Amino acid sequence: MPLESSQENPQPLRVVTAAVRGWVERLGTVWVEGQVIQINRRAGARTVFLTLRDKLANVSVSVTLSPATLEAASAPLAEGATVVARLKPSYYEQSGRLSFYCDAISPVGEGQLLARLEQTKRLLQAEGLFERHHKKPLPFLPRAVGLITGSGSAAERDVVENARRRWPAVRVVPRYALTQGREAAEQIMLALGVLDRDREIEVIIIARGGGSLEDLLPFSDEGLVRAVFACRTPVVSAIGHETDMPILDLVADLRASTPTDAAKRVVPDVAEELARVQQARDRMRRCVTALVQRERDWLDHIRARPMLADPGASFALRSTELVELRARSERALQGRLRHERSGIEHALARVRAMSPKATLERGYAIVVDADGHAVDSAGEVEPGQSLLAYLHDGQLSLSVEDVTVREEGALP
């Protein structure tokens, strides 16, 4: 029954909140279907917060549950998964807040598939199958391109036509397999093994057009993912549209958004490569021309030097310098000779002035005894002694008759 109230007779707030709590609790538990748009789980926390949204209306609620309830789900939950949950609404009188508590939750439909795919993805990621260092580089121009797709599919046409349009000589080796259904993954693995053993195949494209989540499930098969990881040949994944991303995209050496994009990523464009070759040739031509011009300018500069412009000029210059040096040498030598000659003449004059011959020429004589010793004192001679006197033009034999000794200081 509704509460009766008026402006003159209002109800106490506690009565109203108690009534709201009673109405909410009478609803009991209820199973709901919604899409998980956010999961907030903190390490060590006792409560997990979910945000559920109705897919057909812009309605969302916040839900709390225990970690044990979340772990008890039939498959790991991921954002975007559709789930069914058993909720119990409750109303807190103190804060006036309405909340929902979940005690059971499980993914359904696409949500269940997404949860299983997420579980498989986490398992493979933990093993390191998605690591970047495992990715093999694609060849620049493959001799042959292996293609795994459905027979007569649009994906095959897109890959082949775009590849041949870019490089007409490219050779595409197709291997057909089912691309949806239970047997699709096994057939794709068989075709992959055949192409991987072919030594001429340098890159393999796995292509399929768009489809629903169930249609693309074979490309998230764990066996296929592991087979692609074990291939020696680089593998390109081109599944569905750009928004589709099966697990195969994560393990492949290259992910292409569409089959057309795969052809563009695997085969170079002949027109673009010819343009690059022409650009490279132009750059080399400019470099060589610039180099030749620099060397030519350097040669012109060298040739403009006086030495190369008139090679004989240096000889004439050196010849003139040699003549001048020779003349200077001769003048220096003549001057030296004159100086030495003058010195000799002066020395000769001094020698002649001191020579006994000059003295003899002035009328003096040199007297020696019989032994040839010069007699320089009268006291050394005795009467009757034989002496020899040297004159400037001859000599005389003398016999001493008398000796007179002059006293010291007396005049001669």
Side-chain angles (χ1 to χ4, degrees), residues 28-36 50-53 61-65 69-70 73 77 81-89 100-108:
T29 59
V30 58
W31 285 93
V32 300
E33 180 180 344
Q35 184 180 22
V36 179
L50 297 181
T51 300
L52 295 181
R53 181 178 63 186
V61 296
S62 178
V63 179
T64 59
L65 69 161
T69 302
L70 184 63
L77 296 183
T82 302
V83 298
V84 292
R86 186 169 62 188
L87 305 182
K88 182 180 180 181
F100 294 88
Y101 180 76
C102 174
D103 60 2
I105 189 170
S106 179
V108 295

Side-chain angles (χ1 to χ4, degrees), residues 348-410:
L348 184 60
R350 288 196 300 270
V351 170
R352 286 178 177 176
M354 297 175 62
S355 174
K357 184 179 180 182
T359 303
L360 296 177
E361 288 178 351
R362 293 199 300 270
Y364 290 93
I366 297 175
V367 180
V368 298
D369 58 14
D371 296 327
H373 297 120
V375 178
D376 57 1
S377 174
E380 298 177 357
V381 181
E382 296 178 357
Q385 185 177 351
S386 297
L387 299 175
L388 184 63
Y390 288 96
L391 303 177
H392 76 281
D393 57 351
Q395 60 187 15
L396 300 175
S397 296
L398 304 177
S399 177
V400 178
E401 294 181 356
D402 186 22
V403 176
T404 301
V405 178
R406 188 178 59 251
E407 294 181 0
E408 186 175 356

Side-chain angles (χ1 to χ4, degrees), residues 68-288:
T69 302
L70 184 63
E71 297 294 337
S74 59
L77 296 183
E79 294 180 359
T82 302
V83 298
V84 292
R86 186 169 62 188
L87 305 182
K88 182 180 180 181
S90 60
Y91 180 78
Y92 294 91
E93 298 179 48
Q94 289 80 3
S95 61
R97 184 171 60 88
L98 179 66
S99 64
F100 294 88
Y101 180 76
C102 174
D103 60 2
I105 189 170
S106 179
V108 295
E110 289 189 1
Q112 187 174 13
L113 292 177
L114 288 173
R116 291 178 180 175
L117 292 178
E118 184 66 22
Q119 184 178 16
T120 303
K121 184 188 303 182
R122 291 179 180 177
L123 173 64
L124 298 174
Q125 186 175 13
E127 295 182 19
L129 270 66
F130 305 154
E131 296 295 333
R132 183 176 296 275
H133 64 270
H134 291 310
K135 307 297 184 185
K136 295 179 285 294
L138 272 62
F140 169 70
L141 181 59
R143 290 174 296 178
V145 178
L147 175 61
I148 301 176
T149 186
S151 177
S153 63
E156 178 187 10
R157 183 178 63 255
D158 291 344
V159 172
V160 173
E161 290 182 358
N162 282 279
R164 290 177 177 170
R165 187 180 300 118
R166 293 173 63 82
W167 198 276
V170 66
R171 184 164 68 94
V172 180
V173 181
R175 287 291 181 271
Y176 301 115
L178 294 176
T179 56
Q180 69 181 59
R182 294 183 178 181
E183 300 180 359
E186 183 178 357
Q187 291 191 14
I188 294 173
M189 284 188 287
L190 291 175
L192 183 66
V194 173
L195 293 176
D196 189 45
R197 289 189 295 271
D198 191 343
R199 294 297 178 178
E200 293 187 357
I201 302 297
E202 297 188 31
V203 63
I204 300 173
I205 300 176
I206 302 177
R208 187 198 189 282
S212 63
L213 178 62
E214 291 83 357
D215 293 339
L216 301 181
L217 277 179
F219 300 99
S220 294
D221 181 80
E222 182 178 351
L224 176 59
V225 172
R226 294 185 182 277
V228 170
F229 179 79
C231 279
R232 66 163 187 86
T233 309
V235 177
V236 177
S237 174
I239 308 302
H241 303 295
E242 187 171 357
T243 55
D244 298 322
M245 193 169 182
I247 299 178
L248 179 63
D249 287 349
L250 301 176
V251 75
D253 299 294
L254 177 67
R255 176 189 180 265
S257 57
T258 61
T260 300
D261 182 54
K264 294 180 179 180
R265 304 286 291 274
V266 170
V267 181
D269 188 347
V270 63
E272 293 178 359
E273 298 306 321
L274 287 175
R276 291 193 183 96
V277 171
Q278 185 60 41
Q279 292 173 1
R281 293 177 62 183
D282 293 341
R283 287 196 298 269
M284 289 189 291
R285 184 179 293 106
R286 289 194 296 269
C287 291
V288 172

